[in-house]
Amino acid sequence: MGENRRPLLGIESLRKSFGKVEVLKGIDMAVHKGEVVSVIGPSGSGKTTLLRCVNFLEIYERGSIRIDGQEVGYRDGDNRQRRGETDLARMRAETGMVFQSFNLFPHLTAVQNVMLGLVKVRRKPKQEAREIAEHWLKRVGLGHRIDSLPAELSGGQQQRVGIARAVAMEPKILLLDEITSALDPELVTEVLDVVRQLAEDGMTMLMVTHEIAFARDASDRIVFMDDGRVSAEGPPGELMAQAGSNERLDAFLSRFRTSHL
Amino acid sequence: MNYHLNFNLIWRHFDKLWQGLVLSLELAVLSILIGAIIGLVLAIWYVSAGKLVRAIISAYVEFIRNVPLILLVYIVFYGIPTVVDFAYSATVSFVGTLSLYAGAYLVEVFRSGLEAVPRGQIDAGKAIGLTPLQRLLHVRLPTMARITLPALSNTFISLFKDTSVASVISVPELTYGAQWINFNTFRIVEVYIVTTIMYLITGYSILFGLRGLERRFRAER
């Protein structure tokens, strides 16, 4: 992973405020192709906001986010003009996102949820879109539930549809926002297994997670955020070792030691 | 009590009531269709527009909601043609009035329905790269439709009853038919018993039909 190569996702001096509260206080981060990066940290540290800035669900004004060299929310040029809605939609199609609360379209079946973007955004013919959707639903272990509506599926199944919906678009990078936080404990594994499989297949991922054990096992790098800043980062082993010298990281990790180790 | 019920004269003129009922239903269906189009267009416009447009739409809604329907009927049928020298039949005039009336109520219904679509669904639409128009068509409207269906059926039933107001400008709907029979036979009790039962049966049938439809939609969630 040559550090001199241009990263797939490059975030520089990113700042974001909600009213007077500054949530992101200057974030620098890079994710290279094929990398899996986990973002951990206490709630309120800005993790989810950071992720939502990457596909411009949150509008950032200061700093820059580039995917494959292209600024996400603004046109290239000096006067920093916001991209138009159609242009934004095109940019967003380059990233996939999986949400904490699944956010499936309730009136569409599993296969229709996955097909919608393929047909409307990727302009695939219906038949081809259906084949792709079925392929991905099988990959996430839901080949037998393709015609079920979201309300007929368990949380874990809904979230796997959510993952299939995102990856079927063949995004350059997949954003995962606390995707197991809303699940009953017994359903967490089935979702994490899917993510692990995607990681092994080389999908580039940036995930916000509270599953420290999973982050340690599945990530190439972990970023620890605290109070709107990157407080520590490094490969899992290295980061855990930094806990001795980083009080905040130590305090954060100590909450998990008893339950997960 | 020395009043003897006699329905014979009612049955002899029953076609007036029957044709009136059919016309009442036609008026209600037409008005809810046109009203729904007015309501939907204005609701979508409202949620995406600036202050001025919102103020104009709100003014329309408040005007209609605070003026009695019967007055609106008079204004449209007698008032407008007098001022602008333009004539239309009583039926056309009434459909126009009832559509504007329904539209004002439905703007509110659809607007709150659109605003009730969960943020997360809109985010999901954005995340897969749908444009604003695509999000409206494929994410917001389908969810809105299911949220607003019960309110839509209630509005339709109200409109069906409100068609009786058309009798004041001699549109030959059910209440007008009843009045005609009353004036010509003086069987006031009988004619209104029969008419009330006709409104009741039709209203209930519509209610059951629409509730069944709602259940089917809910089952499909």
Side-chain angles (χ1 to χ4, degrees):
Chain A
M1 218 155 304
E3 285 300 315
N4 51 354
R5 258 179 39 218
R6 185 178 73 185
L8 179 63
L9 169 67
I11 302 176
E12 283 170 22
S13 325
L14 181 69
R15 285 170 176 271
K16 165 76 189 168
S17 302
F18 290 110
K20 282 185 178 152
V21 185
E22 192 168 46
V23 182
L24 300 178
K25 301 173 178 174
I27 302 277
D28 291 283
M29 193 182 283
V31 179
H32 289 85
K33 195 167 186 304
E35 240 190 335
V36 176
V37 175
S38 293
V39 181
I40 61 171
S43 42
S45 58
K47 311 180 296 286
T48 290
T49 306
L50 171 69
L51 209 65
R52 289 170 61 86
C53 282
V54 172
N55 61 0
F56 219 60
L57 287 184
E58 295 296 350
I59 295 162
Y60 60 90
E61 277 98 22
R62 290 191 289 167
S64 106
I65 300 178
R66 287 177 178 276
I67 292 173
D68 241 358
Q70 273 203 301
E71 181 73 41
V72 172
Y74 300 92
R75 297 207 185 105
D76 289 319
D78 297 330
N79 51 355
R80 202 168 170 77
Q81 222 187 344
R82 179 99 68 85
R83 287 184 190 276
E85 284 288 346
T86 314
D87 206 17
L88 262 182
R90 187 184 54 77
M91 281 299 296
R92 284 185 179 127
E94 303 294 320
T95 57
M97 190 171 209
V98 185
F99 299 87
Q100 178 178 352
S101 46
F102 327 137
N103 295 349
L104 296 183
F105 305 122
H107 58 290
L108 300 179
T109 61
V111 72
Q112 288 168 337
N113 261 277
V114 183
M115 283 171 68
L116 186 63
L118 294 168
V119 173
K120 299 296 169 191
V121 179
R122 295 281 184 245
R123 305 271 168 211
K124 305 248 189 225
K126 278 246 164 83
Q127 191 49 41
E128 191 189 341
R130 194 175 173 89
E131 281 162 18
I132 297 170
E134 284 179 6
H135 164 79
W136 280 105
L137 285 170
K138 278 180 197 146
R139 281 284 306 272
V140 299
L142 290 174
H144 59 302
R145 301 304 305 266
I146 58 169
D147 291 320
S148 302
L149 285 162
E152 299 161 355
L153 299 171
S154 73
Q157 289 172 329
Q158 287 189 54
Q159 192 57 298
R160 286 186 278 151
V161 176
I163 294 172
R165 178 175 68 179
V167 293
M169 297 288 287
E170 295 181 7
K172 290 176 177 165
I173 183 168
L174 189 60
L175 310 171
L176 309 172
D177 185 14
E178 297 187 25
I179 62 167
T180 55
S181 297
L183 293 177
D184 292 333
E186 71 271 20
L187 300 177
V188 169
T189 322
E190 67 185 52
V191 172
L192 293 185
D193 284 345
V194 170
V195 177
R196 207 184 305 266
Q197 188 61 48
L198 289 172
E200 279 167 23
D201 294 348
M203 173 69 76
T204 311
M205 291 192 266
L206 179 61
M207 58 179 168
V208 168
T209 183
H210 286 133
E211 302 284 335
I212 302 297
F214 177 74
R216 198 186 50 200
D217 295 345
S219 321
D220 298 305
R221 258 182 319 124
I222 299 182
V223 173
F224 172 63
M225 275 182 69
D226 185 47
D227 193 27
R229 293 188 177 85
V230 172
S231 171
E233 70 172 306
E238 246 174 65
L239 184 99
M240 301 296 168
Q242 286 178 44
S245 57
N246 185 328
E247 221 175 273
R248 300 285 299 176
L249 176 60
D250 188 52
F252 178 73
L253 289 177
S254 66
R255 279 192 275 145
F256 295 93
R257 284 196 189 105
T258 44
S259 55
H260 283 263
L261 296 180
Chain B
M1 226 172 80
N2 50 15
Y3 188 90
H4 297 284
L5 289 175
N6 180 351
F7 285 97
N8 284 337
L9 283 168
I10 310 298
W11 303 140
R12 190 176 301 161
H13 297 294
F14 189 70
D15 61 322
K16 288 262 185 245
L17 298 181
W18 180 250
Q19 284 161 11
L21 177 65
V22 171
L23 183 60
S24 286
L25 278 169
E26 285 170 353
L27 295 173
V29 169
L30 266 178
S31 302
I32 193 121
L33 288 180
I34 301 170
I37 292 168
I38 295 172
L40 193 58
V41 169
L42 292 186
I44 291 170
W45 203 12
Y46 185 97
V47 296
S48 53
K51 274 190 182 153
L52 179 69
V53 170
R54 285 182 176 215
I56 294 170
I57 294 172
S58 299
Y60 157 65
V61 171
E62 289 310 316
F63 177 78
I64 299 278
R65 289 214 295 194
N66 289 292
V67 175
L69 176 60
I70 193 164
L71 217 63
L72 294 172
V73 169
Y74 285 141
I75 291 170
V76 174
F77 185 57
Y78 296 118
I80 294 178
T82 309
V83 176
V84 299
D85 196 24
F86 176 78
Y88 28 55
S89 76
T91 308
V92 169
S93 149
F94 184 76
V95 167
T97 312
L98 200 59
S99 300
L100 285 172
Y101 180 76
Y105 282 87
L106 292 176
V107 173
E108 289 295 289
V109 167
F110 289 140
R111 189 184 57 76
S112 56
L114 278 174
E115 282 166 1
V117 175
R119 190 85 243 148
Q121 276 183 45
I122 298 169
D123 281 350
K126 286 181 181 173
I128 57 171
L130 296 180
T131 62
L133 180 65
Q134 290 172 330
R135 294 199 295 271
L136 178 69
L137 290 177
H138 304 295
V139 180
R140 301 180 75 183
L141 287 183
T143 303
M144 183 212 72
R146 271 176 312 123
I147 295 173
T148 55
L149 204 59
L152 213 58
S153 343
N154 291 344
T155 307
F156 182 66
I157 291 163
S158 294
L159 285 184
F160 169 63
K161 290 188 296 176
D162 289 339
T163 55
S164 62
V165 174
S167 61
V168 301
I169 52 171
S170 307
V171 175
E173 45 67 63
L174 180 50
T175 299
Y176 183 83
Q179 284 169 356
W180 187 93
I181 294 174
N182 179 31
F183 291 145
N184 287 281
T185 67
F186 302 109
R187 306 310 301 186
I188 183 164
V189 177
E190 292 87 337
V191 75
Y192 284 116
I193 287 174
V194 172
T195 306
T196 303
I197 291 171
M198 287 173 81
Y199 272 116
L200 271 177
I201 291 175
T202 314
Y204 265 116
S205 310
I206 297 171
L207 185 72
F208 278 115
L210 292 177
R211 289 284 179 268
L213 213 70
E214 286 167 27
R215 262 195 302 280
R216 257 188 49 197
F217 263 93
R218 229 171 303 145
E220 280 172 21
R221 277 174 80 114

